[in-house]
Amino acid sequence: MHADLSRITYRPERHYSAVVAQQGRVQLDADANEQAAIQLFQARTLAADLIGPHGGPQGATGFKIDLRGGPHELDDLVIGGGRYYVDGILCDATRPRPGTPVPAAGHKEGEEPAAPGAADAPAEPAAGTWTYWDQPDAFRDPERPGDRLPSQFPYLVYLKVWERLVTAAEDPALREVALGAALPDTAARTKVVWQVLPLPASALGLDGENPPADDIRTAFGRWAQQAAAPGCRLAARSERPDHADDDPCLVAPEARYRGPENQLYRVEVHDGGAAKDATFKWSRENGSVTFAIDDLDGTWAELASLGGDDALSLQVGDLVECVDTGYASRGEAAPLLRVEEVDLPGRRVRLSDEPAPGVGRRPELHPFLRRWDHQEAGRKTVRRGAGPGRLRHGAVPVEEGGWLPLEDGVEVYFEAGGAYRTGDFWLVPARTATGGVEWPTDPARRPLLQHPSGIVVHYAPLAWVHGEQAVPDLRLAFRPLATAIPATDGAAPDATGAAGTVDAGGPGTLSTSSTAGSGPARPRSQTTAEAEAQVDEAGEAG
């Protein structure tokens, strides 16, 4: 969550059920965000407990997969509309209907002129459906061989679900224009991202063209559990740096955190893999300092703004990441770029290289630059001594088993033997009032190793493709719980009819037992005394 936050206070292990506001107190973003997190956790936990790991409502189950092969140059999948729950998270695959424009001059309603090139355009999918190539959050590119569907059968089609943050830099509609361009944006949004992706059968270790569905689900469950499990841990602390005496009046002499302001440090994995290949980047503002790109011309980027003040602006030597909606949704890691020149009157910056191909060049994907606060060797970081060692693609190489300084006494420690994934992150609040960082410790005040705060990914199997006309369905469906209200006129219900209504197994029924006799049906939840009394009454009636 690259948002301008003070800190994250939600801790599920504390079992808080609500945030209670008190009169006359300062209202913080952390309190409101914790209330939202509590409610979301409760709703999704309840859904997962009732539905299971995944499933969709009967009659509206989404993500039905059909293979579209044959004469097409590239294989494609048709993704049926509807709803599906994965670990309690709602995913909606229904394609929004296009709006109806005002008729063009000289044309009647429904007689719009054809768009240029419409005759050569590929056939549109059925109403309410997506395809593999145009699904909204996957951004598959036919020019990339790795994005194409496997050429060999069989393979599994699965659903990948995760969440990411969206700010006004990416969705300008979130900004209230009445506040003016000089003021910052207001609240951000969390978005559920779903992606329909293929998985070769070899990754599941299954034999045969069409194994039983239960075997496929079991094998996929093992794969998904391994894919979702975090593979690395980090600890953070604050230690009084050697240069602390250079600014004796800046903060308290005994403070371990030497920064003059409260910060929320974000440590994020950039390049994934083993420690020898992994890199990370960090920001003292949780990666929230962004600059919308109006135009990109080679290494020159024209920006909507260069920032409101020195702390939130771009300076020569800063490292930035060129981001857009497609780049963020794909979870990629392109090389970070250095700001070489700043043109204040023209609101332009010259970068050390052009952004990666396909990133930042499509205005409809709302490109922007995100600033990171680590620096190259030989440059001085803000309020700190020498910069870190040599960078790799603009990011800091991971070094395990030792404390790595960030700035102002903040240090991080990567546990040995880690496996790193692009996007994994940790948040480290630093506070001037305590002169330290907020991080869990043991009774001896030793920092505890923590798994990443995110990204949390969820998976569900959808279909097993073993031929152009053979796509067995692996989805699950559930029925609604609502039933008809029983009669209350005092007439004894017919036993045969009642049994047919309750146990018929049709949609909207619950399997409950029925007791003969007059009066309304007893509730399913009873106390022990009520249950014993019911048994006694049944014995006397017999």
Side-chain angles (χ1 to χ4, degrees):
M1 296 177 65
H2 302 88
D4 186 11
L5 308 176
S6 59
R7 58 176 182 154
I8 299 293
T9 58
Y10 175 60
R11 302 290 185 272
E13 67 274 7
R14 296 180 182 176
H15 306 295
Y16 293 143
S17 60
V19 174
V20 180
Q22 301 184 83
Q23 63 177 350
R25 268 54 165 201
V26 175
Q27 297 295 306
L28 298 177
D29 63 291
D31 297 330
N33 292 336
E34 182 173 355
Q35 178 60 53
I38 289 173
Q39 292 177 311
L40 201 59
F41 174 79
Q42 292 174 341
R44 289 177 174 174
T45 301
L46 177 61
D49 288 344
L50 295 178
I51 298 170
H54 59 91
Q58 192 174 59
T61 307
F63 295 94
K64 183 181 186 302
I65 300 299
D66 291 310
L67 178 64
R68 179 193 289 176
H72 299 279
E73 182 179 352
L74 293 174
D75 284 348
D76 199 357
L77 300 174
V78 178
I79 305 169
R83 301 182 300 280
Y84 208 69
Y85 292 83
V86 181
D87 291 334
I89 301 174
L90 171 62
C91 303
D92 192 342
T94 304
R95 189 179 191 129
R97 293 182 177 275
T100 303
V102 175
H107 293 82
K108 297 181 180 180
E109 187 173 351
E111 297 180 354
E112 294 297 309
D120 300 328
E124 290 291 330
T129 66
W130 298 93
T131 69
Y132 173 77
W133 292 109
D134 72 359
Q135 53 183 306
D137 294 316
F139 295 94
R140 303 289 94 182
D141 184 357
E143 299 299 325
R144 298 188 182 191
D147 285 357
R148 299 174 185 174
L149 294 171
S151 57
Q152 299 292 327
F153 297 122
Y155 59 87
L156 182 134
V157 178
Y158 69 95
L159 186 62
K160 178 181 178 180
V161 182
W162 52 289
E163 290 181 300
R164 68 181 187 88
L165 195 87
V166 177
T167 65
E170 189 176 343
D171 185 359
L174 298 180
R175 180 183 294 275
E176 174 52 76
V177 296
L179 297 177
L183 294 179
D185 58 347
T186 54
R189 304 293 187 270
T190 301
K191 177 181 181 179
V192 173
V193 175
W194 60 261
Q195 299 169 334
V196 173
L197 303 173
L199 181 67
S202 58
L204 300 177
L206 293 173
D207 297 326
E209 287 282 327
N210 190 21
D214 288 342
D215 292 351
I216 299 175
R217 293 191 184 102
T218 300
F220 179 80
R222 290 193 298 265
W223 176 89
Q225 184 177 14
Q226 182 177 2
C232 57
R233 295 194 296 180
L234 174 141
R237 71 178 184 183
S238 54
E239 288 292 320
R240 194 171 186 271
D242 296 335
H243 66 86
D245 293 332
D246 295 345
D247 298 306
C249 299
L250 192 61
V251 295
E254 69 279 4
R256 299 184 306 277
Y257 168 58
R258 307 299 298 179
E261 298 179 0
N262 299 318
Q263 303 288 2
L264 181 61
Y265 285 89
R266 181 188 187 92
V267 179
E268 180 176 321
V269 175
H270 189 64
D271 294 300
K276 63 182 180 64
D277 303 316
T279 60
F280 73 97
K281 53 203 174 188
W282 62 264
S283 164
R284 68 179 70 94
E285 305 284 353
N286 190 30
S288 64
V289 181
T290 59
F291 307 87
I293 298 176
D294 287 343
D295 184 49
L296 193 61
D297 182 12
T299 60
W300 281 96
E302 182 180 338
L303 308 178
S305 170
L306 288 175
D309 54 38
D310 291 340
L312 303 177
S313 63
L314 279 179
Q315 306 290 338
V316 173
D318 287 343
L319 290 167
V320 295
E321 185 176 14
C322 189
V323 181
D324 61 22
T325 301
Y327 177 87
S329 297
R330 292 176 62 95
E332 296 178 320
L336 303 184
L337 306 176
R338 185 178 63 255
V339 175
E340 299 284 3
E341 184 179 349
V342 177
D343 176 14
L344 291 177
R347 302 193 318 276
R348 299 190 308 161
V349 295
R350 183 170 62 86
L351 306 175
S352 56
D353 199 354
E354 294 187 21
V359 180
R361 294 168 176 83
R362 295 173 57 185
E364 68 273 16
L365 297 183
H366 306 292
F368 60 91
L369 299 180
R370 171 171 284 124
R371 192 191 76 186
W372 296 96
D373 294 323
H374 59 277
Q375 297 286 331
E376 290 184 288
R379 298 180 183 270
K380 302 293 183 177
T381 59
V382 178
R383 305 183 308 276
R384 195 176 169 262
R390 183 179 180 85
L391 302 183
R392 186 188 306 148
H393 304 304
V396 184
V398 167
E399 298 179 16
E400 297 180 330
W403 288 99
L404 304 177
L406 302 186
E407 68 172 7
D408 293 332
V410 179
E411 300 178 347
V412 295
Y413 177 99
F414 290 96
E415 183 184 28
Y420 301 87
R421 296 178 303 192
T422 298
D424 284 347
F425 70 92
W426 297 262
L427 299 180
V428 186
R431 296 294 180 258
T432 60
T434 60
V437 299
E438 296 180 357
W439 192 266
T441 60
D442 67 0
R445 292 185 173 275
R446 294 177 299 181
L448 299 178
L449 291 165
Q450 300 288 300
H451 287 299
S453 300
I455 303 171
V456 180
V457 184
H458 310 265
Y459 300 93
L462 297 177
W464 179 259
V465 181
H466 64 90
E468 291 189 3
Q469 303 299 326
V471 186
D473 200 345
L474 297 176
R475 299 172 301 155
L476 302 176
F478 58 88
R479 295 172 175 170
L481 298 179
T483 61
I485 300 176
T488 58
D489 57 359
D494 179 72
T496 304
T501 301
V502 174
D503 297 327
T509 63
L510 290 172
S511 295
T512 58
S513 60
S514 176
T515 303
S518 61
R522 295 182 179 273
R524 299 179 72 242
S525 299
Q526 299 173 311
T527 64
T528 303
E530 290 173 338
E532 292 174 349
Q534 181 177 352
V535 173
D536 293 340
E537 292 173 1
E540 293 174 1

